[in-house]
Amino acid sequence: MTHGQLSLREIVQRANDGDAGCQQAVAHAAAAIGAAAADAAVLLAPHRVCLSGELTATGAVFIDSVRRAMRSRPLLPDPDGFVVLAECEAPEARGALAIAADLAESSHRTEG
């Protein structure tokens, strides 16, 4: 079944409303994003991958597909803690969020 042309916002809304076709479109896009992020992470070895944007509003539909793609790269850490979602649009804020999460985690490890 096709819905014709939809904006990204409409696809996200319909996916959140349970539309299986829109959920599949989001999952497919997330798998491609996850594969690209995984390739970059293998090369750059970051402490964390922080994702944000409209697609992340679909929650598990998006993040589960990204994490599945990340798991296909055996050199990467477990994506459950490695990939985080941010609800902000400014790139500087996303970077600051990732740094803060890393600092909080390393502080927690040294205390515990």
Side-chain angles (χ1 to χ4, degrees):
M1 180 172 163
T2 181
H3 298 301
Q5 290 187 336
L6 297 174
S7 69
L8 179 57
R9 184 165 291 152
E10 290 170 321
I11 292 169
V12 167
Q13 182 60 51
R14 288 181 183 208
N16 286 336
D17 290 342
D19 183 294
C22 289
Q23 287 177 341
Q24 181 59 40
V26 169
H28 183 72
I33 291 167
D39 289 343
V42 167
L43 290 172
L44 302 173
H47 294 280
R48 183 101 61 257
V49 173
C50 182
L51 302 171
S52 70
E54 286 188 61
L55 286 176
T56 63
T58 60
V61 174
F62 179 81
I63 193 64
D64 289 349
S65 293
V66 169
R67 287 180 174 150
R68 204 170 8 264
M70 292 285 206
R71 281 189 185 93
S72 71
R73 305 306 196 278
L75 299 176
L76 295 177
D78 179 26
D80 288 339
F82 182 60
V83 178
V84 295
L85 298 180
E87 294 183 25
C88 59
E89 294 304 318
E92 297 84 1
R94 286 193 302 265
L97 174 67
I99 290 169
D102 285 344
L103 290 173
E105 182 178 309
S106 63
S107 172
H108 178 70
R109 278 185 286 186
T110 58
E111 291 174 3

Coordinates of all heavy atoms in Angstrom, one line a residue:
M1 N 0.8 -1.2 0.0 CA 0.0 0.0 0.0 C 0.9 1.2 0.0 O 1.9 1.3 0.7 CB -0.9 0.0 1.2 CG -1.8 1.1 1.4 SD -2.9 0.8 2.7 CE -3.5 2.4 3.0
T2 N 0.5 2.2 -0.7 CA 1.3 3.5 -0.8 C 0.4 4.6 -0.3 O -0.8 4.6 -0.4 CB 1.8 3.7 -2.2 OG1 2.5 4.9 -2.3 CG2 0.6 3.9 -3.2
H3 N 1.1 5.6 0.2 CA 0.5 6.8 0.7 C 0.7 8.0 -0.2 O 0.3 9.1 0.2 CB 1.0 7.1 2.1 CG 0.7 6.1 3.2 ND1 -0.5 5.7 3.5 CD2 1.6 5.4 3.9 CE1 -0.4 4.7 4.4 NE2 0.8 4.5 4.7
G4 N 1.4 7.8 -1.3 CA 1.8 8.9 -2.1 C 3.0 9.6 -1.5 O 3.7 9.0 -0.6
Q5 N 3.2 10.8 -1.8 CA 4.3 11.6 -1.3 C 4.0 12.1 0.1 O 2.9 12.7 0.3 CB 4.7 12.7 -2.1 CG 5.4 12.3 -3.4 CD 5.9 13.5 -4.2 OE1 5.5 14.6 -4.1 NE2 6.9 13.2 -5.1
L6 N 4.9 11.8 1.1 CA 4.7 12.3 2.5 C 5.9 13.1 2.9 O 7.1 12.7 2.5 CB 4.5 11.1 3.4 CG 3.3 10.2 3.2 CD1 3.3 9.1 4.2 CD2 2.0 11.0 3.5
S7 N 5.8 14.0 3.7 CA 6.9 14.7 4.3 C 7.5 13.8 5.4 O 6.9 12.9 5.8 CB 6.5 16.1 4.9 OG 5.7 15.9 6.0
L8 N 8.7 14.1 5.8 CA 9.4 13.4 6.8 C 8.5 13.5 8.1 O 8.3 12.5 8.8 CB 10.8 13.9 7.1 CG 11.6 13.2 8.2 CD1 11.6 11.7 7.9 CD2 12.9 13.8 8.4
R9 N 8.0 14.6 8.4 CA 7.2 14.8 9.6 C 6.0 13.9 9.5 O 5.6 13.3 10.5 CB 6.8 16.3 9.7 CG 6.0 16.6 11.0 CD 6.0 18.1 11.3 NE 7.3 18.4 11.7 CZ 7.8 19.7 11.5 NH1 7.1 20.6 11.0 NH2 9.1 19.9 11.9
E10 N 5.3 13.8 8.4 CA 4.2 13.0 8.2 C 4.5 11.5 8.4 O 3.8 10.7 9.0 CB 3.5 13.2 6.8 CG 2.9 14.6 6.7 CD 2.4 14.9 5.3 OE1 3.2 14.5 4.3 OE2 1.3 15.4 5.1
I11 N 5.7 11.1 7.8 CA 6.1 9.7 8.0 C 6.3 9.4 9.5 O 5.9 8.3 9.9 CB 7.4 9.4 7.2 CG1 7.1 9.5 5.7 CG2 8.0 8.1 7.5 CD1 8.3 9.5 4.8
V12 N 7.0 10.3 10.2 CA 7.3 10.1 11.6 C 6.0 10.0 12.4 O 5.8 9.1 13.2 CB 8.2 11.2 12.2 CG1 8.2 11.2 13.7 CG2 9.6 11.1 11.6
Q13 N 5.0 10.9 12.1 CA 3.7 10.9 12.8 C 3.0 9.6 12.5 O 2.5 8.9 13.5 CB 2.9 12.1 12.4 CG 1.5 12.2 13.1 CD 1.7 12.3 14.6 OE1 2.4 13.1 15.1 NE2 1.0 11.4 15.3
R14 N 2.9 9.2 11.3 CA 2.2 7.9 11.0 C 2.9 6.7 11.6 O 2.3 5.8 12.0 CB 2.1 7.8 9.4 CG 1.1 8.8 8.9 CD 0.9 8.6 7.4 NE 0.0 9.6 6.9 CZ -0.7 9.4 5.8 NH1 -0.7 8.3 5.1 NH2 -1.5 10.4 5.4
A15 N 4.3 6.7 11.6 CA 5.0 5.6 12.2 C 4.6 5.5 13.7 O 4.4 4.4 14.2 CB 6.5 5.8 12.0
N16 N 4.6 6.7 14.3 CA 4.2 6.7 15.8 C 2.8 6.3 16.0 O 2.4 5.8 17.1 CB 4.5 8.1 16.3 CG 6.0 8.4 16.5 OD1 6.8 7.4 16.7 ND2 6.3 9.6 16.6
D17 N 1.9 6.5 15.0 CA 0.5 6.1 15.1 C 0.3 4.6 14.8 O -0.8 4.1 14.8 CB -0.3 7.0 14.2 CG -0.5 8.4 14.6 OD1 -0.2 8.7 15.8 OD2 -0.8 9.3 13.8
G18 N 1.4 3.9 14.4 CA 1.3 2.5 14.2 C 1.2 2.1 12.7 O 1.0 0.9 12.4
D19 N 1.4 3.0 11.8 CA 1.4 2.7 10.3 C 2.6 1.8 10.0 O 3.7 2.2 10.1 CB 1.4 3.9 9.5 CG 1.2 3.7 8.0 OD1 2.2 3.1 7.5 OD2 0.2 4.1 7.4
A20 N 2.3 0.5 9.6 CA 3.4 -0.4 9.4 C 4.3 0.0 8.2 O 5.5 -0.2 8.3 CB 2.8 -1.8 9.1
G21 N 3.7 0.5 7.2 CA 4.5 1.0 6.0 C 5.5 2.1 6.4 O 6.6 2.1 6.0
C22 N 5.0 3.1 7.2 CA 5.8 4.2 7.6 C 6.9 3.7 8.6 O 8.0 4.1 8.6 CB 5.0 5.3 8.2 SG 4.1 6.2 6.9
Q23 N 6.5 2.7 9.5 CA 7.5 2.1 10.4 C 8.6 1.4 9.6 O 9.8 1.5 10.0 CB 6.8 1.2 11.4 CG 6.0 1.9 12.4 CD 5.2 0.9 13.3 OE1 5.0 -0.3 13.0 NE2 4.8 1.4 14.5
Q24 N 8.2 0.7 8.6 CA 9.2 0.0 7.8 C 10.1 1.0 7.1 O 11.3 0.8 7.0 CB 8.5 -0.9 6.7 CG 9.5 -1.6 5.9 CD 10.4 -2.5 6.7 OE1 10.0 -3.2 7.6 NE2 11.7 -2.6 6.3
A25 N 9.6 2.1 6.6 CA 10.4 3.2 5.9 C 11.4 3.7 6.9 O 12.6 3.9 6.6 CB 9.5 4.3 5.4
V26 N 11.0 4.0 8.1 CA 11.8 4.5 9.2 C 12.9 3.5 9.5 O 14.1 3.8 9.6 CB 11.1 5.0 10.4 CG1 12.0 5.3 11.6 CG2 10.2 6.2 10.1
A27 N 12.5 2.3 9.7 CA 13.5 1.2 10.0 C 14.5 1.0 8.9 O 15.7 0.9 9.2 CB 12.8 -0.1 10.3
H28 N 14.1 1.1 7.7 CA 15.0 1.0 6.6 C 16.0 2.2 6.6 O 17.2 2.0 6.4 CB 14.3 1.0 5.3 CG 15.1 0.8 4.0 ND1 15.7 -0.4 3.8 CD2 15.5 1.6 3.1 CE1 16.4 -0.3 2.6 NE2 16.3 0.9 2.2
A29 N 15.5 3.4 6.8 CA 16.4 4.6 6.8 C 17.4 4.4 8.0 O 18.6 4.8 7.9 CB 15.6 5.8 6.9
A30 N 16.8 4.0 9.1 CA 17.7 3.8 10.4 C 18.8 2.8 10.1 O 19.9 3.0 10.6 CB 16.8 3.5 11.5
A31 N 18.5 1.7 9.4 CA 19.5 0.7 9.1 C 20.6 1.3 8.3 O 21.8 1.0 8.6 CB 18.9 -0.5 8.4
A32 N 20.3 2.2 7.3 CA 21.3 2.8 6.5 C 22.1 3.8 7.4 O 23.4 3.9 7.3 CB 20.7 3.5 5.3
I33 N 21.4 4.6 8.2 CA 22.1 5.5 9.1 C 23.0 4.7 10.1 O 24.2 5.1 10.3 CB 21.1 6.4 9.8 CG1 20.4 7.3 8.9 CG2 21.8 7.2 11.0 CD1 19.2 8.0 9.4
G34 N 22.5 3.7 10.6 CA 23.3 2.9 11.5 C 24.5 2.3 10.9 O 25.6 2.2 11.5
A35 N 24.4 1.8 9.7 CA 25.6 1.2 8.9 C 26.6 2.3 8.7 O 27.8 2.1 8.9 CB 25.1 0.6 7.6
A36 N 26.2 3.5 8.3 CA 27.1 4.6 8.0 C 27.8 5.0 9.3 O 29.0 5.3 9.4 CB 26.4 5.8 7.4
A37 N 27.0 5.1 10.4 CA 27.6 5.5 11.7 C 28.5 4.5 12.2 O 29.6 4.8 12.8 CB 26.4 5.8 12.7
A38 N 28.2 3.2 12.0 CA 29.1 2.1 12.4 C 30.4 2.2 11.7 O 31.5 2.0 12.3 CB 28.4 0.8 12.2
D39 N 30.3 2.4 10.4 CA 31.6 2.5 9.6 C 32.5 3.6 10.1 O 33.7 3.5 10.3 CB 31.3 2.7 8.1 CG 30.7 1.4 7.5 OD1 30.9 0.3 8.0 OD2 30.1 1.6 6.4
A40 N 31.8 4.8 10.4 CA 32.6 5.9 10.9 C 33.1 5.6 12.3 O 34.3 6.0 12.6 CB 31.7 7.2 10.9
A41 N 32.3 5.0 13.1 CA 32.8 4.6 14.5 C 34.0 3.7 14.5 O 34.9 3.8 15.3 CB 31.7 4.1 15.3
V42 N 34.0 2.7 13.5 CA 35.1 1.8 13.4 C 36.4 2.6 13.1 O 37.5 2.4 13.6 CB 34.9 0.7 12.4 CG1 36.1 0.0 12.0 CG2 33.8 -0.3 12.9
L43 N 36.3 3.6 12.2 CA 37.4 4.4 11.8 C 37.9 5.4 12.8 O 39.1 5.6 13.0 CB 37.1 5.2 10.5 CG 37.0 4.3 9.2 CD1 36.5 5.2 8.1 CD2 38.3 3.7 8.9
L44 N 36.9 6.0 13.5 CA 37.2 7.1 14.4 C 37.3 6.8 15.9 O 37.8 7.5 16.7 CB 36.2 8.2 14.2 CG 36.1 8.8 12.8 CD1 35.0 9.8 12.7 CD2 37.4 9.4 12.4
A45 N 36.7 5.6 16.3 CA 36.8 5.1 17.6 C 36.2 6.1 18.7 O 36.9 6.4 19.7 CB 38.2 4.6 18.0
P46 N 35.0 6.7 18.5 CA 34.5 7.6 19.5 C 34.1 6.8 20.7 O 33.9 5.6 20.7 CB 33.3 8.2 18.8 CG 32.8 7.1 17.9 CD 34.1 6.4 17.4
H47 N 33.9 7.6 21.8 CA 33.4 7.0 23.1 C 31.9 6.8 23.0 O 31.3 5.9 23.7 CB 33.7 7.9 24.3 CG 35.2 8.0 24.5 ND1 35.9 7.0 25.2 CD2 36.1 9.0 24.2 CE1 37.2 7.4 25.2 NE2 37.3 8.6 24.6
R48 N 31.2 7.6 22.2 CA 29.8 7.5 22.1 C 29.3 8.0 20.7 O 30.0 8.9 20.2 CB 29.2 8.4 23.2 CG 27.8 8.4 23.4 CD 27.1 7.6 24.5 NE 27.4 7.8 25.8 CZ 28.2 7.1 26.6 NH1 28.9 6.1 26.0 NH2 28.4 7.2 27.8
V49 N 28.2 7.5 20.2 CA 27.6 8.0 19.0 C 26.2 8.6 19.5 O 25.4 7.9 20.1 CB 27.3 6.9 18.0 CG1 26.5 7.4 16.8 CG2 28.7 6.3 17.5
C50 N 26.1 9.9 19.2 CA 24.9 10.6 19.6 C 24.1 11.0 18.4 O 24.6 11.6 17.5 CB 25.3 11.9 20.4 SG 23.9 12.8 21.0
L51 N 22.8 10.5 18.3 CA 22.0 10.8 17.2 C 20.8 11.6 17.6 O 20.2 11.5 18.7 CB 21.4 9.4 16.6 CG 22.5 8.4 16.2 CD1 21.9 7.1 15.8 CD2 23.3 9.0 15.0
S52 N 20.4 12.5 16.7 CA 19.2 13.3 17.0 C 18.6 13.7 15.6 O 19.1 13.4 14.6 CB 19.6 14.6 17.7 OG 20.3 15.5 16.9
G53 N 17.4 14.3 15.7 CA 16.7 14.6 14.5 C 15.3 14.1 14.5 O 14.9 13.4 15.4
E54 N 14.5 14.4 13.4 CA 13.1 14.0 13.4 C 12.9 12.5 13.5 O 12.0 12.0 14.1 CB 12.5 14.5 12.2 CG 12.2 16.0 12.2 CD 11.4 16.5 11.1 OE1 10.2 16.1 11.0 OE2 11.9 17.4 10.3
L55 N 13.8 11.7 12.8 CA 13.6 10.2 12.8 C 13.7 9.6 14.2 O 13.0 8.6 14.5 CB 14.5 9.5 11.9 CG 14.3 9.7 10.4 CD1 15.4 9.0 9.6 CD2 12.9 9.1 10.0
T56 N 14.5 10.2 15.1 CA 14.6 9.7 16.4 C 13.3 9.8 17.3 O 13.2 9.1 18.2 CB 15.8 10.4 17.2 OG1 15.5 11.8 17.4 CG2 17.1 10.3 16.5
A57 N 12.4 10.6 16.8 CA 11.1 10.7 17.5 C 10.3 9.5 17.4 O 9.3 9.3 18.1 CB 10.3 11.9 17.0
T58 N 10.7 8.5 16.5 CA 10.0 7.3 16.4 C 10.5 6.3 17.5 O 10.0 5.1 17.5 CB 10.1 6.7 15.0 OG1 11.5 6.4 14.7 CG2 9.5 7.6 14.0
G59 N 11.4 6.6 18.3 CA 11.9 5.8 19.4 C 12.5 4.5 18.9 O 13.4 4.4 18.2
A60 N 11.9 3.4 19.4 CA 12.4 2.1 19.2 C 12.4 1.7 17.8 O 13.3 0.9 17.3 CB 11.5 1.0 20.0
V61 N 11.5 2.2 17.0 CA 11.5 1.9 15.5 C 12.8 2.3 14.9 O 13.4 1.6 14.1 CB 10.3 2.5 14.8 CG1 10.4 2.4 13.3 CG2 9.0 2.0 15.3
F62 N 13.3 3.5 15.3 CA 14.6 4.0 14.8 C 15.8 3.4 15.5 O 16.6 2.8 14.9 CB 14.6 5.5 15.0 CG 15.9 6.2 14.5 CD1 16.1 6.4 13.2 CD2 16.9 6.5 15.4 CE1 17.2 7.0 12.8 CE2 18.0 7.1 15.0 CZ 18.2 7.3 13.7
I63 N 15.8 3.5 16.8 CA 17.0 3.1 17.6 C 17.3 1.6 17.5 O 18.5 1.2 17.4 CB 17.0 3.6 19.0 CG1 18.4 3.5 19.7 CG2 16.0 2.8 19.8 CD1 19.4 4.3 19.1
D64 N 16.3 0.8 17.5 CA 16.5 -0.7 17.4 C 17.2 -1.0 16.0 O 18.1 -1.9 16.0 CB 15.2 -1.5 17.5 CG 14.7 -1.4 18.9 OD1 15.4 -1.0 19.8 OD2 13.5 -1.9 19.1
S65 N 16.8 -0.4 14.9 CA 17.4 -0.6 13.6 C 18.9 -0.1 13.6 O 19.7 -0.8 13.0 CB 16.6 0.0 12.5 OG 15.4 -0.6 12.4
V66 N 19.1 1.0 14.2 CA 20.5 1.6 14.3 C 21.4 0.6 15.1 O 22.5 0.3 14.7 CB 20.5 3.0 14.9 CG1 21.9 3.4 15.2 CG2 19.8 4.0 14.0
R67 N 20.9 0.2 16.2 CA 21.7 -0.7 17.1 C 21.9 -2.0 16.4 O 23.0 -2.6 16.6 CB 21.0 -0.8 18.4 CG 21.1 0.4 19.3 CD 20.5 0.3 20.6 NE 20.8 1.5 21.4 CZ 20.0 1.9 22.4 NH1 18.8 1.3 22.6 NH2 20.3 3.0 23.0
R68 N 21.0 -2.5 15.7 CA 21.2 -3.8 15.0 C 22.3 -3.6 13.9 O 23.1 -4.5 13.8 CB 19.8 -4.2 14.3 CG 19.7 -5.6 14.0 CD 18.3 -6.1 13.5 NE 17.3 -5.1 13.2 CZ 16.3 -4.7 14.1 NH1 16.3 -5.1 15.3 NH2 15.5 -3.8 13.7
A69 N 22.3 -2.5 13.2 CA 23.4 -2.3 12.3 C 24.8 -2.1 13.0 O 25.8 -2.6 12.5 CB 23.1 -1.0 11.5
M70 N 24.8 -1.5 14.2 CA 26.0 -1.4 15.0 C 26.5 -2.7 15.4 O 27.7 -3.0 15.5 CB 25.8 -0.5 16.2 CG 25.5 1.0 15.8 SD 27.0 1.8 15.3 CE 26.7 3.4 15.7
R71 N 25.6 -3.6 15.8 CA 26.0 -4.9 16.3 C 26.7 -5.8 15.2 O 27.4 -6.7 15.5 CB 24.8 -5.7 16.8 CG 24.4 -5.3 18.2 CD 23.3 -6.2 18.8 NE 22.9 -5.6 20.1 CZ 21.9 -4.8 20.2 NH1 21.1 -4.5 19.2 NH2 21.6 -4.3 21.4
S72 N 26.4 -5.4 14.0 CA 27.1 -6.2 12.9 C 28.6 -5.8 12.7 O 29.2 -6.5 11.9 CB 26.3 -5.9 11.6 OG 26.6 -4.6 11.1
R73 N 29.1 -4.9 13.5 CA 30.5 -4.5 13.5 C 31.1 -5.0 14.8 O 31.0 -4.4 15.8 CB 30.7 -3.0 13.4 CG 30.0 -2.3 12.2 CD 30.3 -2.9 10.9 NE 30.0 -2.0 9.8 CZ 28.8 -1.9 9.3 NH1 27.7 -2.6 9.7 NH2 28.5 -1.1 8.2
P74 N 31.8 -6.1 14.7 CA 32.4 -6.8 15.9 C 33.4 -5.9 16.7 O 33.7 -6.2 17.8 CB 33.0 -8.1 15.4 CG 33.2 -7.9 14.0 CD 32.2 -6.9 13.5
L75 N 34.0 -4.9 16.0 CA 35.0 -4.1 16.7 C 34.4 -3.0 17.6 O 35.1 -2.3 18.3 CB 35.9 -3.4 15.7 CG 36.7 -4.4 14.8 CD1 37.5 -3.6 13.7 CD2 37.6 -5.2 15.6
L76 N 33.0 -2.8 17.5 CA 32.4 -1.8 18.3 C 31.9 -2.3 19.6 O 31.5 -3.4 19.7 CB 31.2 -1.2 17.5 CG 31.6 -0.5 16.2 CD1 30.4 0.0 15.4 CD2 32.5 0.7 16.5
P77 N 31.8 -1.4 20.6 CA 31.2 -1.8 21.9 C 29.7 -2.1 21.7 O 29.1 -1.8 20.7 CB 31.4 -0.6 22.8 CG 31.8 0.5 21.9 CD 32.2 0.0 20.6
D78 N 29.1 -2.7 22.8 CA 27.7 -2.9 22.8 C 26.9 -1.7 22.5 O 27.1 -0.7 23.2 CB 27.3 -3.5 24.1 CG 25.8 -3.8 24.2 OD1 25.2 -4.0 23.2 OD2 25.3 -3.8 25.4
P79 N 26.1 -1.6 21.5 CA 25.4 -0.4 21.1 C 24.3 0.1 22.1 O 23.9 1.2 22.0 CB 24.8 -0.7 19.7 CG 24.7 -2.2 19.7 CD 25.8 -2.7 20.5
D80 N 24.0 -0.7 23.0 CA 22.9 -0.3 24.0 C 23.4 0.9 24.8 O 22.6 1.8 25.1 CB 22.5 -1.4 24.9 CG 21.7 -2.4 24.2 OD1 21.1 -2.1 23.1 OD2 21.6 -3.6 24.6
G81 N 24.7 1.0 25.1 CA 25.2 2.2 25.8 C 26.0 3.1 24.9 O 26.3 4.2 25.3
F82 N 26.4 2.6 23.8 CA 27.3 3.3 22.9 C 26.5 4.3 22.0 O 27.0 5.4 21.7 CB 28.0 2.3 22.0 CG 29.0 2.8 21.0 CD1 30.1 3.6 21.4 CD2 28.9 2.6 19.7 CE1 31.0 4.1 20.5 CE2 29.8 3.1 18.7 CZ 30.9 3.8 19.2
V83 N 25.3 4.0 21.7 CA 24.5 4.8 20.8 C 23.4 5.5 21.7 O 22.7 4.8 22.4 CB 23.8 4.0 19.7 CG1 22.9 4.9 18.9 CG2 24.8 3.3 18.8
V84 N 23.4 6.8 21.7 CA 22.4 7.5 22.5 C 21.6 8.5 21.6 O 22.1 8.9 20.6 CB 23.1 8.3 23.7 CG1 23.7 7.4 24.7 CG2 24.1 9.3 23.2
L85 N 20.4 8.8 22.0 CA 19.6 9.7 21.3 C 19.5 11.0 22.1 O 19.5 11.0 23.3 CB 18.2 9.1 21.2 CG 18.0 7.8 20.4 CD1 16.5 7.4 20.4 CD2 18.6 8.0 19.0
A86 N 19.5 12.1 21.3 CA 19.4 13.4 21.9 C 18.2 14.1 21.3 O 17.9 14.0 20.1 CB 20.7 14.2 21.6
E87 N 17.5 14.9 22.2 CA 16.3 15.6 21.7 C 16.7 17.1 21.5 O 16.0 17.9 22.1 CB 15.2 15.4 22.7 CG 14.7 14.0 22.7 CD 13.5 13.9 23.6 OE1 12.8 14.9 23.9 OE2 13.2 12.8 24.1
C88 N 17.7 17.4 20.7 CA 18.1 18.7 20.5 C 18.5 18.9 19.0 O 18.9 17.9 18.4 CB 19.2 19.2 21.4 SG 20.7 18.2 21.3
E89 N 18.4 20.1 18.5 CA 18.7 20.3 17.1 C 20.0 21.0 16.9 O 20.6 20.8 15.8 CB 17.6 21.1 16.5 CG 16.2 20.4 16.4 CD 16.3 19.1 15.7 OE1 17.0 19.0 14.6 OE2 15.7 18.1 16.2
A90 N 20.6 21.7 17.8 CA 21.8 22.4 17.7 C 23.0 21.4 17.7 O 23.1 20.7 18.7 CB 22.0 23.5 18.7
P91 N 23.9 21.4 16.7 CA 25.0 20.5 16.7 C 25.9 20.7 17.9 O 26.4 19.8 18.5 CB 25.7 20.8 15.4 CG 25.0 21.8 14.7 CD 23.8 22.2 15.5
E92 N 26.1 22.0 18.4 CA 26.9 22.2 19.5 C 26.3 21.6 20.8 O 27.1 21.1 21.6 CB 27.1 23.8 19.7 CG 27.8 24.5 18.6 CD 26.9 24.9 17.5 OE1 25.7 24.6 17.5 OE2 27.4 25.4 16.5
A93 N 25.0 21.7 20.9 CA 24.4 21.1 22.1 C 24.5 19.6 22.0 O 24.7 18.9 23.1 CB 22.9 21.5 22.1
R94 N 24.4 19.0 20.9 CA 24.5 17.5 20.8 C 25.9 17.1 21.2 O 26.1 16.1 21.9 CB 24.2 17.0 19.4 CG 22.8 17.1 19.0 CD 22.5 16.3 17.7 NE 23.2 16.8 16.6 CZ 22.7 17.7 15.7 NH1 21.5 18.2 15.9 NH2 23.5 18.0 14.7
G95 N 26.9 17.9 20.7 CA 28.3 17.6 21.1 C 28.5 17.7 22.6 O 29.1 16.8 23.3
A96 N 27.9 18.8 23.2 CA 28.1 19.0 24.6 C 27.4 17.9 25.4 O 27.9 17.4 26.4 CB 27.5 20.3 25.0
L97 N 26.2 17.4 24.9 CA 25.5 16.3 25.5 C 26.3 15.0 25.5 O 26.4 14.4 26.6 CB 24.2 16.1 24.8 CG 23.4 14.9 25.3 CD1 22.9 15.1 26.7 CD2 22.2 14.6 24.4
A98 N 27.0 14.8 24.4 CA 27.8 13.6 24.3 C 29.0 13.6 25.3 O 29.3 12.7 26.0 CB 28.3 13.3 22.9
I99 N 29.6 14.8 25.4 CA 30.7 15.0 26.3 C 30.3 14.8 27.7 O 30.9 14.1 28.5 CB 31.4 16.3 26.1 CG1 32.1 16.3 24.7 CG2 32.4 16.7 27.2 CD1 32.6 17.7 24.3
A100 N 29.2 15.4 28.1 CA 28.6 15.3 29.4 C 28.3 13.9 29.8 O 28.6 13.4 30.9 CB 27.4 16.2 29.6
A101 N 27.7 13.1 28.8 CA 27.4 11.7 29.1 C 28.7 10.9 29.3 O 28.8 10.1 30.2 CB 26.6 11.1 27.9
D102 N 29.7 11.2 28.5 CA 31.0 10.5 28.7 C 31.6 10.8 30.1 O 32.1 9.9 30.8 CB 32.0 10.9 27.6 CG 31.7 10.2 26.3 OD1 30.9 9.2 26.3 OD2 32.2 10.7 25.3
L103 N 31.6 12.1 30.5 CA 32.2 12.5 31.8 C 31.4 11.9 32.9 O 32.0 11.4 33.9 CB 32.2 14.0 31.9 CG 33.2 14.7 31.0 CD1 33.0 16.2 31.1 CD2 34.6 14.3 31.3
A104 N 30.1 11.8 32.8 CA 29.3 11.2 33.9 C 29.5 9.8 34.0 O 29.7 9.2 35.1 CB 27.8 11.5 33.6
E105 N 29.7 9.1 32.8 CA 30.0 7.6 32.9 C 31.3 7.4 33.5 O 31.5 6.5 34.3 CB 29.9 7.0 31.5 CG 30.1 5.5 31.5 CD 30.0 5.0 30.1 OE1 29.0 5.2 29.4 OE2 30.9 4.2 29.7
S106 N 32.4 8.1 33.1 CA 33.7 7.9 33.6 C 33.8 8.2 35.1 O 34.5 7.6 35.8 CB 34.8 8.6 32.8 OG 34.6 10.0 32.9
S107 N 33.0 9.2 35.5 CA 33.0 9.6 36.9 C 32.3 8.5 37.7 O 32.8 8.1 38.8 CB 32.2 10.9 37.1 OG 32.0 11.2 38.5
H108 N 31.3 7.9 37.2 CA 30.5 6.8 37.8 C 31.4 5.6 38.0 O 31.4 4.9 39.0 CB 29.3 6.5 37.1 CG 28.5 5.4 37.6 ND1 27.8 5.5 38.8 CD2 28.3 4.1 37.2 CE1 27.2 4.3 39.1 NE2 27.5 3.5 38.1
R109 N 32.2 5.3 36.9 CA 33.1 4.1 37.0 C 34.2 4.3 38.0 O 34.6 3.3 38.7 CB 33.8 3.9 35.6 CG 32.8 3.1 34.7 CD 33.6 2.9 33.4 NE 33.6 4.1 32.7 CZ 34.1 4.3 31.5 NH1 34.6 3.3 30.8 NH2 34.1 5.5 30.9
T110 N 34.7 5.5 38.2 CA 35.8 5.7 39.2 C 35.3 5.7 40.6 O 36.0 5.3 41.5 CB 36.6 7.0 38.9 OG1 35.7 8.1 39.0 CG2 37.3 7.0 37.6
E111 N 34.0 6.1 40.8 CA 33.4 6.1 42.1 C 33.0 4.7 42.5 O 33.0 4.3 43.7 CB 32.2 7.0 42.2 CG 32.5 8.4 42.0 CD 31.3 9.3 41.9 OE1 30.2 8.8 42.0 OE2 31.4 10.5 41.7
G112 N 32.5 3.9 41.6 CA 31.9 2.6 41.9 C 32.9 1.5 41.8 O 33.2 0.5 42.3

